[in-house]
Amino acid sequence: MKEDQPPLVRRAQTAFRNTPRGFIFLSLLPALALVLVFTYYPFLRGIVMAFQNYQLFDLTNVHFIGLDNFKTMFHDTKFKTAAINSAYWVFISLILQFALGLTVALLLNNRFRGRGIFQGFVFYPWALSGFLIGLIWKWMFNSQIGVINDLLLHLGLIHERIGFLSDPSWAMASVILANVWYGIAFFAIMLLAALQSVPPELYEAGSMDGANGARKLLNITLPYIMPTVITTTLLRAIWIFNDPSIIYGLTNGGPAGSTHILSSLMLDKIMYGGDYGAASAIGIVMIGILLLYTIFYLTVTRSEKLGDF
């Protein structure tokens, strides 16, 4: 035991060493059991089902079929469309959410009348569920009574109503727009907290050196908050990739599967096809993608020596 440690830490270490190991194990057993039952067992069961013919409506014919689920999946045009959509879904949503979130955070970092009310409106979407946001935007995009069509008509930008959610050329852009609106609040919250931690002395030194607002942003603000920027961006990418709730609320993957991403297609296989084997195969592919992304994430955070933000 190190002598330079605080007395409270030394007492805690002594108490832990004097506690019977059996009691420690029994204390951890309920939490361990919950993790095993609700996390690892479904995970392992899903891996097994990926190699089985597991149809919910034909449970008497469950058997191993090897890689057939994966072969069928890679030849399925819906899977190819969902994979491409997933890339658009993550990349475009992430870029716009970050850019708009940073802009909002910079505005909120200044004092002005009504800032608290404006802050409440900005953070409000993050308090809602993704599925509910999908339903809200579904009404807004409605081709007959939707406010977006009405607004565009009154502004003279269109001359007839657009079926945003029924036209495949508009549907994916529409769900991405809803997702961008949803995610701005997350970046605004996290980046605002980072901006408020920047020492004012740095800006004062920059002013003495003749730096204007743009140079302060590029040379002081962004480098100082870069650990938060990298961490929140990488984590948000995982959340966007895994979250199909907005798509389900807006289009349910339609029209004709044109707005499916991998996670929503996986749910579609379960809910409407009862094909747990095919859904599990998609899940395995998603796990592989996330594993590669996690390796990239850990490499970036380690190279940047990022800690908690």
Side-chain angles (χ1 to χ4, degrees):
M1 186 181 301
K2 296 181 179 179
E3 296 298 332
D4 58 347
Q5 290 179 333
L8 183 61
V9 174
R10 292 201 299 269
R11 288 197 297 269
Q13 290 179 341
T14 303
F16 181 80
R17 290 176 179 176
N18 294 334
T19 302
R21 293 184 178 180
F23 176 76
I24 297 175
F25 176 76
L26 291 176
S27 299
L28 296 176
L29 189 59
L32 179 62
L34 289 174
V35 171
L36 290 175
V37 171
F38 293 104
T39 301
Y40 291 106
Y41 173 74
F43 172 71
L44 295 175
R45 189 72 184 91
I47 293 177
V48 173
M49 285 193 294
F51 300 93
Q52 290 180 321
N53 175 54
Y54 200 107
Q55 301 282 343
L56 182 62
F57 305 109
D58 191 15
L59 294 177
T60 59
N61 192 31
V62 176
H63 60 278
F64 282 93
I65 56 174
L67 298 174
D68 286 357
N69 283 325
F70 293 92
K71 293 177 182 178
T72 302
M73 175 183 64
F74 287 121
H75 287 89
D76 186 2
T77 55
K78 283 189 176 181
F79 174 80
K80 296 177 182 178
T81 300
I84 296 173
N85 285 346
S86 295
Y88 285 127
W89 171 256
V90 174
F91 182 75
I92 298 177
S93 295
L94 190 66
I95 294 298
L96 293 179
Q97 285 179 9
F98 169 74
L100 296 174
L102 177 60
T103 302
V104 172
L106 290 171
L107 291 174
L108 291 175
N109 198 38
N110 299 310
R111 295 187 178 275
F112 57 87
R113 181 175 296 180
R115 185 176 69 162
I117 298 176
F118 181 71
Q119 192 170 2
F121 279 113
V122 170
F123 297 162
Y124 169 72
W126 198 245
L128 301 177
S129 69
F131 184 77
L132 179 58
I133 287 175
L135 293 178
I136 294 173
W137 279 86
K138 185 175 184 178
W139 284 101
M140 294 173 62
F141 279 124
N142 189 281
S143 60
Q144 300 301 320
I145 60 174
V147 66
I148 294 179
N149 267 302
D150 287 341
L151 181 61
L152 294 177
L153 284 170
H154 282 92
L155 292 175
L157 298 178
I158 60 175
H159 301 290
E160 60 181 10
R161 294 181 178 273
I162 299 174
F164 288 104
L165 303 181
S166 58
D167 187 344
S169 61
W170 285 98
M172 195 63 203
S174 300
V175 296
I176 290 176
L177 177 61
N179 191 44
V180 169
W181 180 81
Y182 177 51
I184 289 174
F186 169 77
F187 279 106
I189 294 170
M190 304 308 297
L191 296 179
L192 177 60
L195 289 172
Q196 292 176 342
S197 68
V198 180
E201 295 80 7
L202 295 180
Y203 294 118
E204 295 174 2
S207 298
M208 294 177 63
D209 291 338
N212 55 21
R215 289 186 59 188
K216 288 180 182 178
L217 175 64
L218 295 176
N219 298 329
I220 298 176
T221 304
L222 289 180
Y224 193 90
I225 68 171
M226 190 54 64
T228 301
V229 170
I230 294 176
T231 305
T232 53
T233 302
L234 294 175
L235 290 177
R236 182 63 183 148
I238 295 175
W239 296 345
I240 295 174
F241 180 76
N242 281 326
D243 187 13
S245 57
I246 291 180
I247 290 177
Y248 254 83
L250 262 169
T251 63
N252 204 17
S258 61
T259 59
H260 268 311
I261 59 174
L262 291 178
S263 56
S264 66
L265 180 63
M266 180 179 65
L267 290 179
D268 191 74
K269 294 288 186 182
I270 295 173
M271 297 177 65
Y272 297 100
D275 193 344
Y276 281 75
S280 298
I282 296 175
I284 295 298
V285 172
M286 292 179 62
I287 290 173
I289 294 173
L290 289 177
L291 181 61
L292 294 175
Y293 183 82
T294 300
I295 294 174
F296 168 74
Y297 168 77
L298 293 176
T299 302
V300 170
T301 54
R302 186 179 296 113
S303 64
E304 296 290 338
K305 298 179 180 180
L306 304 179
D308 296 331
F309 52 88

